Amino acid sequence: MDSVYHQIQKNYDALSSTEQIIIDYMLNQPNVKNLKMKLIQNDLHVSAPTIVRAIKKLSYSSFTEFKYAIAIHKAQKIRLIQRRTTKQ
């Protein structure tokens, strides 16, 4: 599967405006790995099925799979930056 950001970029325009807000919200969470669906529902006033629909449009099968894909990508990016700064 493509990187999570590539999947988002490729499918972003197919998302409704509410779905885009959900994905943007998740991407902007500093600790996405611990993010709960209930928090998204409360903060954005959206339903669980709307969250899941947005994630499925990005070719992820579950909320958990998607949030871990984001977390892994962020961790890899941090490691890459750290390697570059230690080499300088």
Side-chain angles (χ1 to χ4, degrees):
M1 180 178 256
D2 295 331
S3 81
V4 66
Y5 287 96
H6 184 255
Q7 280 296 106
I8 293 167
Q9 188 176 31
K10 188 166 70 173
N11 297 294
Y12 197 78
D13 290 337
L15 300 174
S16 71
S17 59
T18 301
E19 292 166 341
Q20 289 176 355
I21 290 168
I22 292 166
I23 300 305
D24 292 343
Y25 178 91
M26 291 183 71
L27 290 173
N28 288 313
Q29 294 303 304
N31 195 1
V32 71
K33 188 169 53 173
N34 295 323
L35 184 62
K36 304 289 185 220
M37 194 178 297
K38 192 71 177 166
L39 180 65
I40 299 171
Q41 290 175 269
N42 291 339
D43 285 356
L44 300 180
H45 306 288
V46 296
S47 67
T50 302
I51 297 166
V52 172
R53 256 192 316 276
I55 290 166
K56 287 188 180 242
K57 285 183 182 179
L58 300 176
S59 301
Y60 287 88
S61 61
S62 70
F63 174 75
T64 302
E65 179 188 15
F66 181 64
K67 74 178 186 176
Y68 279 109
I70 295 170
I72 289 167
H73 185 83
K74 284 183 175 184
Q76 289 171 340
K77 190 175 180 181
I78 289 169
R79 280 193 299 273
L80 181 64
I81 291 169
Q82 288 172 338
R83 273 191 240 138
R84 286 182 181 165
T85 57
T86 56
K87 286 182 180 179
Q88 293 177 357

